[in-house]
């Protein structure tokens, strides 16, 4: 693509300043943007081009590290950025948008429309763009795509009435992470895992993506969203799909996304009894007046029942995974920020070294998405000396050993894909609906049964203890430490 005009709806919002503009600047600096480009931020705040540029300059300074940035290139980059103050929810205002685009774009460019607005606007913007003939180029939409199954189906229909599926990029930024893409390399570029990657050898899978922050200034959005819609229905189930999928015939937009959809279709539906047993939700509480509880956060209802923590046991109904529990968990205000996947292999069929005092644990493969990106394979070895003590030891790889991960974040990679029209890493309409089909009954169950417990947990802890009840037998959640190789349950962080 030689030229690009990108319009960011929600141009004065948080996502734009924290993620999109820094990512676009990185692409510019790396000469990865088209030769001629214009970026138009659109929003209600009353900036003009100049004041918008100085607002963004501050954010680039804050969110792009010193070594990646230099003042003169920031200024040149920003000279291609414009702003239009408009009410994005009003159809008549789109005429001004069209005029502004024509004014800044003198070459009838390729368009990229990015919806970084509150989700309530997603149903209107595509139609308003169509009404002024701007349904050209590509449209990118942030998650959550839909509020439940019904609204997701409705949204798909609205988007498709204005744009074709190839023009629609439903973004899930987890798929832009190097380490998430690396799950595919780990599984499908190595011969040793695939023969073991099934119900015969795997006991259970844990997927944890937790954060040590609260909801910051996103109270209004979060209180009507909650952890299930914010993290689980998209990011976590996407990670689950990468772990559980069959090898695609090829890594392309059709074959890869077909396999993702097949995983979603095999998510075993739960009845009310199973939901009550297998889904635990929680909400963080304040600690010592130093950390606010969720209900004290700005723009949050003082009696809110929104979950900030969710733990869930999920089964897949297919040949490979029948009977293997997938435990997934997410939460705000946890002890640390970490995302990791643990594959727990089954024990050996016969315990040869039964005389030892402590039985070593089963083999584990830990895939660390962030931080300390890498993986660890844990296996048992004999402790040197008399007797026959066996101890679990780690064999580890971290990305530092490959020269470290590139500084860029997931958004740079995904924006580059949007610009080049590469849809493989974006969620297809059928995937959104299949995933909602599984999670929708959970939301309905909560709505219809107001007595479903919402457990409080003190900010800075690993969530409600009740989340342990969904794990079978004596096993427990693995609470990851900053140090990748230390798996003591409540280790120091
Ligand atoms: C976003 C959620 O999609 O992902 C946020 O809306 C969450 O609530 C964020 O904090 C986590 O992403 P990352 O890349 O920081 O782990």
């Amino acid at each position: 693509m030689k030229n690009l005009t990108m319009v960011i709806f929600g141009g004065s919002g948080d996502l734009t300043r924290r993620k999109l503009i820094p990512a676009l600047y990185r692409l510019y600096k790396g000469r990865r943007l088209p030769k001629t480009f214009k970026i138009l931020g659109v929003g209600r705040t009353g900036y003009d081009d100049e004041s918008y540029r100085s607002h963004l300059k501050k954010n680039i300074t804050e969110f792009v590290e010193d070594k990646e940035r230099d003042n003169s290139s920031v200024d040149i980059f920003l000279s291609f950025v414009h702003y239009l103050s408009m009410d994005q929810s009003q159809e008549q205002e789109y005429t001004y948008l069209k005029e502004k685009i024509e004014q800044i774009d003198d070459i009838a460019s390729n368009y990229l429309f990015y919806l970084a607005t509150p989700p309530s606007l997603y149903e209107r913007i595509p139609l308003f763009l169509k009404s002024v003939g701007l349904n050209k180029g590509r449209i990118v939409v942030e998650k959550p795509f839909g509020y439940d199954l019904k609204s997701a189906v409705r949204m798909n229909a609205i988007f498709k009435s204005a744009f074709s599926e190839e023009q629609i990029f439903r973004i899930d930024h987890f798929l832009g992470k190097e380490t998430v893409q690396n799950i595919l390399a780990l599984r499908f570029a190595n011969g040793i895992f695939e023969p073991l990657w099934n119900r015969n050898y795997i006991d259970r899978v844990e997927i944890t993506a937790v954060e040590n922050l609260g909801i910051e200034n996103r109270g209004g959005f979060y209180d009507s969203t909650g952890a299930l819609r914010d993290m689980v229905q998209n990011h976590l189930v996407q990670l689950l799909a990468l772990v559980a999928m069959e090898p695609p015939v090829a890594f392309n937009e059709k074959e890869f996304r077909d396999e993702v959809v097949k995983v979603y279709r095999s998510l075993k539906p739960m009845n009310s009894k199973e939901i009550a047993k297998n889904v635990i939700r929680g909400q963080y509480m304040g600690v010592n007046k130093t950390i606010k509880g969720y209900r004290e956060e700005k723009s949050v209802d003082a009696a809110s029942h929104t979950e900030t923590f969710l733990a869930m046991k999920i089964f897949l109904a297919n040949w490979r995974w029948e009977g293997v529990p997938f435990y997934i968990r997410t939460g705000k205000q946890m002890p640390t920020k970490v995302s990791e996947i643990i594959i727990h292999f089954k024990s050996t069929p016969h315990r040869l070294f039964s005389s030892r005092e402590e039985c070593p644990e089963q083999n584990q493969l830990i895939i660390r998405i962030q931080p300390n990106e890498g993986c660890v394979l844990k296996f048992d070895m004999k402790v040197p000396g008399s007797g026959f003590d066996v101890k679990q030891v780690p064999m580890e790889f971290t990305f530092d050993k490959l020269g470290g991960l590139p500084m860029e974040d997931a958004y740079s990679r995904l924006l580059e894909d949007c610009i080049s029209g590469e849809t493989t890493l974006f969620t297809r309409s059928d995937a959104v609906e299949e995933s909602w089909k599984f999670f929708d009954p959970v939301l309905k169950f909560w709505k219809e049964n107001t007595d479903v417990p919402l457990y409080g947990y003190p900010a800075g802890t690993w969530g409600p203890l009740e989340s342990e009840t969904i794990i079978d037998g004596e096993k427990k959640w693995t609470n990851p430490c900053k140090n990748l190789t230390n798996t003591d349950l409540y280790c120091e962080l």
Side-chain angles (χ1 to χ4, degrees):
M1 195 189 274
K2 284 212 180 77
N3 56 62
L4 167 78
T5 297
M6 178 170 177
V7 178
I8 307 180
F9 294 96
S12 50
D14 228 38
L15 183 74
T16 305
R17 68 182 194 93
R18 296 170 81 99
K19 298 285 184 187
L20 301 182
I21 292 293
L24 285 162
Y25 168 70
R26 286 190 187 100
L27 290 179
Y28 169 72
K29 183 104 199 295
R31 296 171 191 271
R32 288 154 65 195
L33 281 186
K35 254 193 161 148
T36 313
F37 72 92
K38 299 278 164 55
I39 295 169
L40 175 63
V42 168
R44 277 173 84 155
T45 312
Y47 295 115
D48 56 18
D49 286 357
E50 274 321 306
S51 54
Y52 188 54
R53 286 173 189 152
S54 41
H55 157 73
L56 295 183
K57 191 167 181 175
K58 276 189 232 130
N59 291 298
I60 294 179
T61 313
E62 186 179 347
F63 296 110
V64 180
E65 285 200 28
D66 290 354
K67 56 181 172 214
E68 291 180 272
R69 155 175 65 75
D70 67 79
N71 271 341
S72 68
S73 69
V74 172
D75 288 338
I76 302 173
F77 166 75
L78 287 173
S79 70
F80 299 115
V81 178
H82 301 263
Y83 187 80
L84 172 68
S85 167
M86 69 176 254
D87 183 348
Q88 301 153 98
S89 66
Q90 297 305 316
E91 184 168 0
Q92 63 273 20
E93 306 240 337
Y94 284 67
T95 329
Y96 307 130
L97 173 66
K98 196 171 183 188
E99 280 167 19
K100 177 84 181 187
I101 292 177
E102 281 162 2
Q103 193 190 323
I104 60 170
D105 170 26
D106 35 16
I107 38 166
S109 215
N110 299 300
Y111 294 112
L112 185 66
F113 298 101
Y114 199 110
L115 273 51
T117 62
S120 55
L121 286 175
Y122 293 173
E123 295 193 7
R124 299 188 192 187
I125 296 175
L127 298 179
F128 295 165
L129 286 173
K130 187 180 174 190
S131 73
V132 291
L134 280 175
N135 51 334
K136 329 184 222 186
R138 296 171 187 141
I139 186 160
V140 190
V141 55
E142 272 290 330
K143 53 143 270 287
F145 195 84
Y147 192 74
D148 53 14
L149 176 61
K150 204 167 143 204
S151 59
V153 172
R154 192 173 60 233
M155 252 173 68
N156 269 334
I158 291 174
F159 271 74
K160 285 187 190 180
S161 71
F163 292 87
S164 68
E165 180 64 26
E166 299 68 52
Q167 293 177 287
I168 306 169
F169 289 69
R170 297 172 197 81
I171 203 163
D172 176 336
H173 79 276
F174 265 48
L175 261 187
K177 294 180 191 276
E178 278 291 333
T179 43
V180 171
Q181 294 162 19
N182 192 48
I183 300 171
L184 296 172
L186 182 81
R187 285 196 56 197
F188 303 131
N190 296 293
I192 58 169
F193 296 117
E194 186 52 23
L196 307 179
W197 211 262
N198 57 54
R199 63 191 301 277
N200 299 323
Y201 298 98
I202 293 180
D203 177 69
R204 65 189 191 280
V205 176
E206 274 182 84
I207 302 178
T208 290
V210 296
E211 294 169 273
N212 51 356
L213 288 175
I215 49 156
E216 298 187 290
N217 49 359
R218 299 161 78 215
F221 159 77
Y222 198 89
D223 209 31
S224 57
T225 304
L228 189 146
R229 294 185 180 95
D230 187 44
M231 291 291 290
V232 177
Q233 184 271 337
N234 28 66
H235 302 325
L236 266 75
V237 77
Q238 184 74 65
L239 294 180
L240 184 151
L242 295 182
V243 172
M245 74 196 312
E246 294 301 317
V249 173
F251 187 63
N252 63 30
E253 56 195 40
K254 173 161 178 14
E255 306 296 346
F256 169 70
R257 298 193 299 175
D258 280 355
E259 294 305 333
V260 171
V261 173
K262 266 163 65 185
V263 175
Y264 292 170
R265 266 198 232 125
S266 61
L267 293 165
K268 208 175 208 164
M270 290 187 283
N271 59 31
S272 304
K273 233 168 124 190
E274 288 162 332
I275 296 175
K277 208 167 138 233
N278 293 341
V279 185
I280 301 291
R281 57 181 185 161
Q283 189 186 77
Y284 62 82
M285 302 181 303
V287 177
N288 295 336
K289 296 197 176 139
T290 49
I291 308 178
K292 274 191 196 160
Y294 176 70
R295 292 179 183 181
E296 292 138 27
E297 301 274 15
K298 201 171 132 215
S299 312
V300 167
D301 183 345
S304 171
H305 255 66
T306 299
E307 78 289 353
T308 61
F309 172 94
L310 193 74
M312 217 169 159
K313 173 156 72 174
I314 295 177
F315 287 98
L316 296 178
N318 62 27
W319 275 52
R320 189 188 281 265
W321 295 113
E322 184 64 41
V324 179
F326 283 74
Y327 297 105
I328 64 175
R329 177 174 65 154
T330 186
K332 298 275 185 201
Q333 288 292 21
M334 305 263 109
T336 185
K337 179 171 171 75
V338 65
S339 300
E340 76 175 22
I341 299 169
I342 307 181
I343 315 291
H344 295 266
F345 290 93
K346 288 189 173 168
S347 309
T348 49
H350 172 59
R351 297 206 152 211
L352 187 58
F353 308 109
S354 53
S355 60
R356 63 187 174 231
E357 277 175 27
E358 248 181 67
C359 290
E361 295 169 48
Q362 300 145 293
N363 295 117
Q364 292 171 6
L365 176 65
I366 303 177
I367 305 169
R368 179 63 72 86
I369 310 292
Q370 61 189 21
N372 302 4
E373 293 82 358
C375 30
V376 178
L377 184 61
K378 291 188 163 187
F379 55 101
D380 293 352
M381 296 295 272
K382 180 181 176 298
V383 178
S386 60
F388 225 103
D389 280 344
V390 177
K391 195 174 176 233
Q392 191 158 76
V393 290
M395 195 161 81
E396 71 178 298
F397 156 78
T398 57
F399 275 91
D400 291 347
K401 294 184 182 147
L402 276 186
L405 283 171
M407 301 293 290
E408 71 179 24
D409 69 346
Y411 276 95
S412 304
R413 161 70 201 256
L414 292 176
L415 279 168
E416 200 173 21
D417 282 0
C418 297
I419 294 167
S420 63
E422 171 57 62
T423 53
T424 307
L425 295 177
F426 295 83
T427 312
R428 216 166 54 189
S429 59
D430 51 348
V432 174
E433 292 180 17
E434 288 299 335
S435 158
W436 269 122
K437 272 185 205 159
F438 177 73
F439 290 105
D440 199 57
V442 178
L443 293 172
K444 277 208 182 97
F445 179 74
W446 290 345
K447 200 169 168 196
E448 286 162 10
N449 300 278
T450 44
D451 56 343
V452 177
L454 171 72
Y455 299 104
Y457 60 94
T461 65
W462 285 104
L465 291 176
E466 284 77 4
S467 64
E468 296 290 353
T469 61
I470 64 173
I471 311 241
D472 296 326
E474 304 280 283
K475 297 154 194 162
K476 289 193 175 302
W477 285 102
T478 312
N479 291 330
C481 295
K482 276 202 183 135
N483 175 353
L484 199 59
T485 59
N486 180 356
T487 56
D488 291 342
L489 275 184
Y490 286 88
C491 52
E492 267 181 35
L493 291 160

